[in-house]
């Protein structure tokens, strides 16, 4: 690993100003049948369609949902696979069915994940002088390279930089970056669409709470176009930022890390920003010289 790794955001030991709730404890009391029905409906499948996907009878699906049949461990895993349920939620279904969780969840700074942490730091460092940040499932920053820190430090209220730093909140909060994002209407639409898709995939209450909070923030001029020049739908998103150096034009991409055995790594993502024009590239290079990354 290089001698100048990305700087992690240290978890706060106090209650954050904007805490995001973990999955409600009451959810653990739901029966397996309740979980199965919820996920089947979330995926817009009928009992017949799920039965066909899992190669079992509709009667079997019905009996599991009503609690008349207890599924085997293999059946739980088969249904989770067919329903594309995230690893965190697969554990919940296993527990609800009376089995031990299968997928471990450890903090990224856990010694067992040292190799993964080193890989993330190398990825972030490799993006310099371009900004890059590593994010958890709730879009909280777990690590950031120096380019990202330098870009944000001079433009954001210190209160919003207290851990856990949430990039959605940071982008849209009036005391965050909102006033400096030239294409705020477009960027806001982009963030809400990503959040909607993630909620659809995971049904995570923490994300629902974040969505509700963001909807309370002031909205930009809705007459602004939601699709702008430079946008490549589904690939990259332009991010026009009014910095102290002038207007920076960046494009944003997201990289997802995945593993079949660890919840934390499956939920980890790296958000990277690249210059969309020569001026922005030059500003990033000059900023890198100031913090010694050049």
């Amino acid at each position: 690993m290089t001698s100048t790794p990305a700087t992690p955001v240290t978890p706060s030991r106090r209650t954050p100003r904007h805490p995001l709730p973990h999955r409600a404890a009451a959810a653990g009391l739901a029966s397996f049948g309740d979980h199965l029905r919820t996920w089947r409906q979330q995926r817009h499948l009928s009992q017949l369609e799920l039965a066909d996907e899992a190669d079992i009878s509709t009667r079997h699906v019905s009996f599991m949902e009503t609690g008349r049949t207890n599924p085997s461990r293999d059946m739980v895993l088969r249904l989770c696979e067919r329903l594309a349920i995230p690893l965190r939620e697969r554990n919940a279904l296993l527990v609800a069915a009376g089995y031990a969780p299968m997928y471990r969840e450890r903090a990224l700074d856990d010694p067992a994940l040292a190799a993964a942490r080193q890989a993330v730091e190398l990825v972030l460092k490799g993006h310099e002088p371009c900004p890059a940040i590593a994010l958890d499932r709730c879009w909280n920053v777990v690590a950031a390279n120096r380019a990202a820190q330098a870009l944000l430090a001079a433009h954001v209220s210190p209160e919003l930089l207290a851990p856990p730093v949430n990039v959605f909140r940071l982008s849209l909060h009036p005391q965050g970056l909102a006033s400096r994002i030239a294409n705020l209407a477009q960027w806001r639409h982009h963030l809400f669409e990503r959040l909607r898709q993630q909620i659809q995939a995971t049904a995570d209450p923490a994300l629902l709470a974040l969505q509700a909070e963001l909807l309370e923030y002031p909205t930009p001029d809705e007459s602004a176009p939601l699709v702008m020049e430079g946008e490549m739908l589904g690939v990259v998103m332009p991010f026009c930022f009014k910095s102290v150096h002038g207007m920076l034009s960046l494009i944003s991409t997201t990289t997802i890390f995945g593993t079949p055995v660890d919840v934390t790594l499956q939920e980890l993502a790296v958000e990277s920003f690249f210059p969309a024009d020569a001026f922005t590239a030059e500003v990033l290079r000059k900023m890198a010289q100031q913090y010694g990354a050049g």
Side-chain angles (χ1 to χ4, degrees):
M1 188 172 71
T2 62
S3 60
T4 53
T7 303
V9 174
T10 305
S12 174
R13 293 184 179 276
R14 61 179 176 80
T15 302
R17 180 175 180 274
H18 298 285
L20 291 180
H22 294 290
R23 186 162 302 280
L29 301 177
S31 69
F32 173 80
D34 292 335
H35 280 288
L36 179 59
R37 183 184 306 106
T38 297
W39 278 106
R40 176 177 60 76
Q41 294 172 346
Q42 183 81 6
R43 298 297 185 246
H44 305 290
L45 294 174
S46 65
Q47 288 185 344
L48 176 60
E49 289 168 329
L50 177 58
D52 184 61
E53 288 285 335
D55 196 25
I56 57 178
S57 69
T58 305
R59 179 186 179 92
H60 196 177
V61 173
S62 176
F63 277 21
M64 284 188 289
E65 289 191 356
T66 59
R68 296 181 65 182
T69 296
N70 293 323
S72 67
R73 185 174 181 275
D74 287 344
M75 178 57 66
V76 174
L77 295 175
R78 184 195 303 184
L79 292 167
C80 287
E81 183 68 26
R82 300 301 188 273
L83 290 167
I85 296 176
L87 300 188
R88 176 183 299 276
E89 312 310 325
R90 295 188 190 196
N91 279 342
L93 266 74
L94 284 165
V95 171
Y99 304 105
M102 179 176 177
Y103 305 100
R104 297 191 65 177
E105 179 183 4
R106 296 165 287 197
L108 195 58
D109 59 1
D110 188 294
L113 295 183
R117 178 74 190 205
Q118 183 181 26
V120 171
E121 291 176 347
L122 286 172
V123 169
L124 296 180
K125 176 63 180 176
H127 276 295
E128 291 180 349
C130 299
I133 50 181
L135 306 162
D136 66 16
R137 83 182 200 280
C138 290
W139 302 96
N140 294 320
V141 178
V142 296
N145 67 9
R146 292 172 299 181
Q149 294 178 58
L151 194 63
L152 296 177
H155 300 95
V156 177
S157 169
E159 184 180 7
L160 290 173
L161 293 176
V165 179
N166 185 273
V167 293
F168 279 30
R169 182 180 298 121
L170 205 62
S171 293
L172 303 182
H173 195 284
Q175 297 179 20
L177 300 178
S179 64
R180 293 185 173 270
I181 300 175
N183 61 329
L184 181 59
Q186 180 196 32
W187 188 250
R188 181 179 184 274
H189 177 77
H190 167 65
L191 295 186
F192 270 99
E193 179 60 19
R194 290 172 69 178
L195 193 55
R196 184 196 65 77
Q197 292 176 1
Q198 191 176 359
I199 289 171
Q200 178 66 24
T202 67
D204 194 325
L207 296 177
L208 286 167
L210 176 61
Q211 182 185 58
E213 178 192 329
L214 298 178
L215 286 170
E216 295 178 356
Y217 294 173
T219 57
D221 180 8
E222 295 183 358
S223 65
L226 295 180
V227 178
M228 294 180 62
E229 181 180 356
E231 179 175 354
M232 302 178 187
L233 292 175
V235 182
V236 296
M237 168 62 60
F239 181 75
C240 304
F241 184 68
K242 295 177 282 188
S243 76
V244 294
H245 307 283
M247 181 67 72
L248 302 183
S249 297
L250 301 155
I251 57 174
S252 165
T253 63
T254 303
T255 302
I256 302 296
F257 292 89
T259 174
V261 295
D262 192 279
V263 173
T264 301
L265 296 185
Q266 187 196 51
E267 296 174 343
L268 192 65
V270 171
E271 185 88 3
S272 309
F273 294 87
F274 299 93
D277 57 32
F279 173 77
T280 301
E282 180 61 23
V283 169
L284 292 178
R285 282 193 294 269
K286 289 182 178 178
M287 290 174 61
Q289 292 174 0
Q290 294 176 0
Y291 57 74

